Amino acid sequence: MTKDEIRALLNDLESDRVERTISTTNTDKFGQAICAFANDLPDHRQPGYLFLGVMDDGKVKGLDVTDELLKNVAAIRTDGNIQPQPSMMVEKVSMEEGDIVMVRVEPSIFPPVRYKGRIWIRIGPRKGVANENDEHILMEKRRANVTSFDSSPCLNATIDDLDLQLFKHYYLPNAMSDDEIEEDRKEGRSIKVQLSSFGFYDTRYDCPTNAGMLFFAKNLRRFIPGAYIQYVRFAGRDRTGDILMEHEFKANLCTTLKELETFVDTTIANRRPIPVSSTREDIFVDYPDWATRELLMNAICHRDYTSNGPIQFYQYDDRIEIMNHGGLYGRANEANFPKVNDYRNIVVAEAMKVLGFVNRHSRGVLRVQKDLKANENGEAVYDFSYQTAVMVTESKSPRGERAMNAAIANGLVIEGEEKRSQKRSDLTIFDQKPSNMTENDEGKVQKPSFLTENEFPSMIVKNVYEALKINRKAKYSWLQDNLGVSESTILRAINDLKELGYINPEHSKIKGEWQLLK
């Protein structure tokens, strides 16, 4: 604020947005004034101001404003006497007549606010204690302001924390037609207005919403710590087994949703051909990719993002378990599930529909059960007994193992070939195996037989690049296993390839595929 604006507030003796005092020690008076401004009974939807060092008639007396005084006034917000805590700012202002302290208090989105248990409000230019009618009005304001977590402002974030290119070039083309995007451009609609029209930005507080952070944050877990998926592959049938693989999907949802889709298709489904006659092979999967994908998408869409725990995506020898924080919500209950649906995260659900990851027709679970039964997995089992979480279990299909046993019995596969087929299942994303990729007797793919380094800085960099050409969807773990080097070595080689112009340095992966430039 300019000094002229501050002067105008000081001289407006009829304003119910200003309180003046020459005291520096009357913390009760300060707390009551802050409480009253936070309640904003007149519904100005504008900040209120408490001035220290100013007389009732608006004249500046001036104070010796020290750091200690500023700290004491700011501590009123967090000393526990004001609940819920208000949003306020304390600063020193130097006027011609002397220094004063200005306390700016924002209207609360969750009134009524209480100071030492009492609700204080502004009654014209003075303050007082709220009566029953006043409290009823404030409660109505609270109900009107209560929004879902995803549509609430993420107050400690700014627009600079969002990947705006992801919004412009990925989300907008899915949400709007080319003509509408062009019309927006001609009208000069700002990026903040575009974001806010989808619920990703709060123009009132000039910050992204939690949904905006979930979909476009550059560093999501800095703002929403529990917003990630933890995948663990255990050996055996419980958590006491060795951990064979683990991975965290911790990027924003625009990135994570695509990565999960690829991960389920290439890793979890375990798609592999098994001979069923001397002239024909059939493709078998342990878990139908669409069904597993849908269970994960439901967990992401319906989870409680106020929890700091991740979605648990755990795989065992005989099943998959997905644990999702947040029980059934709204109209949905155990008796009517899954025919009745409700949305804890309205903006997230709509955005996932725009991107094509959910349908919002309350039929996803029914189709999951149909796909699982068709693949002989049996129906997914939902466990609602955890109260604050939901567990869904997807059993492994016996079809692949049964088909392999039949192939061995009928002489279609020689003894031990079933292990080779299982090893080979990780490579079914190739069209064919190049001639310089070989297998040993145990079926493990050995290092490519590359002969020269050429312009590559080292043989390992060349080997990594050639392996990526073979498998555009290669994971770091696959590269480690097949090249026999550590993850840190793989990472260094990837960085070298980006600098040399062999891998797109800005978008190294799109839809799970490495973007090779040569």
Side-chain angles (χ1 to χ4, degrees):
M1 294 178 66
T2 66
K3 289 185 179 180
D4 288 341
E5 291 173 325
I6 294 174
R7 182 77 67 182
L9 284 172
L10 294 179
N11 294 333
D12 187 357
L13 303 182
E14 300 298 320
S15 175
D16 58 1
R17 294 177 49 221
V18 179
E19 179 151 343
R20 310 159 189 84
T21 180
I22 59 173
S23 172
T24 59
T25 58
N26 192 346
T27 54
D28 276 340
K29 184 176 183 178
F30 304 159
Q32 293 164 9
I34 292 168
C35 176
F37 289 138
N39 279 320
D40 189 27
L41 182 65
D43 202 30
H44 293 305
R45 302 188 183 185
Q46 292 179 297
Y49 295 89
L50 170 66
F51 291 101
L52 280 61
V54 180
M55 294 186 288
D56 289 341
D57 60 2
K59 293 180 180 179
V60 174
K61 182 179 180 181
L63 296 172
D64 179 18
V65 180
T66 63
D67 286 343
E68 189 68 18
L69 174 59
L70 294 175
K71 289 177 182 178
N72 289 340
V73 175
I76 295 174
R77 176 180 182 269
T78 56
D79 64 8
N81 288 322
I82 303 181
Q83 295 293 338
Q85 288 184 7
S87 174
M88 56 180 271
M89 185 170 58
V90 181
E91 64 180 295
K92 172 185 173 180
V93 178
S94 296
M95 308 294 286
E96 289 77 8
E97 301 92 330
D99 294 338
I100 62 174
V101 174
M102 182 176 72
V103 183
R104 172 184 169 127
V105 184
E106 298 290 345
S108 174
I109 59 175
F110 297 116
V113 177
R114 292 173 167 82
Y115 177 72
K116 292 186 176 180
R118 304 183 76 179
I119 301 170
W120 290 86
I121 59 171
R122 299 299 296 185
I123 306 170
R126 67 180 182 87
K127 63 180 176 292
V129 178
N131 59 31
E132 286 186 8
N133 287 335
D134 298 328
E135 186 171 350
H136 177 74
I137 292 171
L138 293 173
M139 290 299 297
E140 286 290 316
K141 286 179 63 178
R142 182 188 185 98
R143 283 191 287 270
N145 285 334
V146 168
T147 56
S148 58
F149 172 81
D150 60 340
S151 60
S152 299
C154 187
L155 295 174
N156 57 340
T158 69
I159 195 165
D160 293 333
D161 294 307
L162 301 181
D163 185 341
L164 299 180
Q165 296 304 310
L166 195 58
F167 173 70
K168 290 178 181 178
H169 300 301
Y170 177 54
Y171 190 86
L172 273 185
N174 282 282
M176 301 172 65
S177 67
D178 292 342
D179 290 342
E180 289 172 322
I181 294 174
E182 179 63 19
E183 186 176 340
D184 264 12
R185 188 189 65 79
K186 290 180 179 178
E187 291 179 357
R189 293 182 75 201
S190 69
I191 188 69
K192 291 181 180 180
V193 172
Q194 289 180 315
L195 285 163
S196 67
S197 67
F198 296 104
F200 298 134
Y201 202 83
D202 191 309
T203 54
R204 178 181 176 186
Y205 291 95
D206 193 25
C207 66
T209 62
N210 288 314
M213 300 305 295
L214 284 168
F215 278 88
F216 309 109
K218 296 175 183 176
N219 185 357
L220 177 57
R221 288 181 64 182
R222 174 185 168 194
F223 299 93
I224 308 177
Y228 67 104
I229 296 96
Q230 180 188 63
Y231 170 79
V232 182
R233 173 64 169 99
F234 292 96
R237 301 190 176 190
D238 56 45
R239 299 186 191 183
T240 62
D242 292 337
I243 294 177
L244 302 179
M245 184 194 309
E246 59 181 323
H247 182 70
E248 289 183 357
F249 297 88
K250 55 187 178 183
N252 58 57
L253 288 185
C254 280
T255 303
T256 289
L257 294 172
K258 293 183 290 183
E259 288 181 348
L260 269 177
E261 196 168 47
T262 301
F263 183 73
V264 169
D265 181 55
T266 60
T267 303
I268 302 301
N270 192 22
R271 186 177 290 104
R272 61 219 186 266
I274 298 177
V276 294
S277 72
S278 58
T279 58
R280 184 169 65 88
E281 290 182 334
D282 280 349
I283 301 297
F284 292 84
V285 295
D286 293 336
Y287 302 97
D289 60 305
W290 190 92
T292 307
R293 168 194 178 279
E294 183 71 8
L295 293 175
L296 285 166
M297 296 304 158
N298 283 345
I300 293 169
C301 182
H302 295 290
R303 72 154 292 172
D304 177 4
Y305 283 99
T306 63
S307 168
N308 290 330
I311 293 173
Q312 295 176 355
F313 178 21
Y314 291 170
Q315 183 178 1
Y316 305 90
D317 287 354
D318 61 339
R319 71 193 185 283
I320 287 171
E321 291 180 348
I322 301 171
M323 172 76 84
N324 181 33
H325 291 273
L328 291 173
Y329 180 79
R331 297 176 301 159
N333 56 54
E334 289 188 55
N336 60 31
F337 179 85
K339 294 183 178 179
V340 174
N341 200 1
D342 211 338
Y343 294 96
R344 175 180 281 108
N345 304 302
I346 301 170
V347 183
V348 168
E350 182 59 32
M352 290 181 69
K353 182 178 185 297
V354 165
L355 296 176
F357 291 101
V358 297
N359 56 53
R360 296 195 68 178
H361 299 315
S362 299
R363 60 186 293 269
V365 174
L366 299 176
R367 183 180 166 187
V368 164
Q369 303 294 35
K370 180 179 179 180
D371 284 6
L372 289 176
K373 285 192 288 186
N375 195 55
E376 297 185 25
N377 294 80
E379 290 192 347
V381 177
Y382 288 84
D383 186 349
F384 303 108
S385 65
Y386 297 91
Q387 296 183 350
T388 60
V390 173
M391 169 84 82
V392 58
T393 302
E394 181 184 3
S395 297
K396 181 179 177 180
S397 172
R399 291 180 66 238
E401 185 175 350
R402 189 168 61 236
M404 181 59 74
N405 290 336
I408 293 172
N410 294 327
L412 301 173
V413 176
I414 61 174
E415 191 69 28
E417 183 70 16
E418 71 276 13
K419 294 182 181 179
R420 291 167 58 85
S421 176
Q422 181 68 27
K423 296 275 187 180
R424 229 183 266 120
S425 67
D426 291 336
L427 306 178
T428 56
I429 50 179
F430 315 151
D431 292 329
Q432 60 183 4
K433 184 180 67 179
S435 58
N436 62 348
M437 294 291 284
T438 60
E439 291 181 355
N440 59 23
D441 291 339
E442 295 179 355
K444 182 174 180 178
V445 179
Q446 295 179 324
K447 295 182 182 181
S449 54
F450 306 131
L451 301 177
T452 61
E453 294 185 21
N454 297 330
E455 72 273 34
F456 292 90
S458 67
M459 181 64 77
I460 185 58
V461 175
K462 178 177 174 61
N463 288 357
V464 168
Y465 178 67
E466 295 294 342
L468 293 179
K469 288 170 63 177
I470 295 167
N471 180 3
R472 291 294 184 101
K473 293 187 177 182
K475 304 290 184 181
Y476 287 115
S477 57
W478 185 88
L479 292 169
Q480 287 178 252
D481 289 343
N482 292 294
L483 297 178
V485 294
S486 67
E487 182 178 0
S488 60
T489 301
I490 298 294
L491 290 171
R492 286 195 296 270
I494 294 293
N495 288 332
D496 288 341
L497 290 169
K498 289 179 181 179
E499 292 178 2
L500 291 168
Y502 284 83
I503 296 176
N504 188 331
E506 295 184 358
H507 302 286
S508 58
K509 274 190 172 184
I510 296 178
K511 294 185 178 180
E513 291 193 4
W514 290 96
Q515 299 303 296
L516 306 184
L517 302 179
K518 295 183 181 182

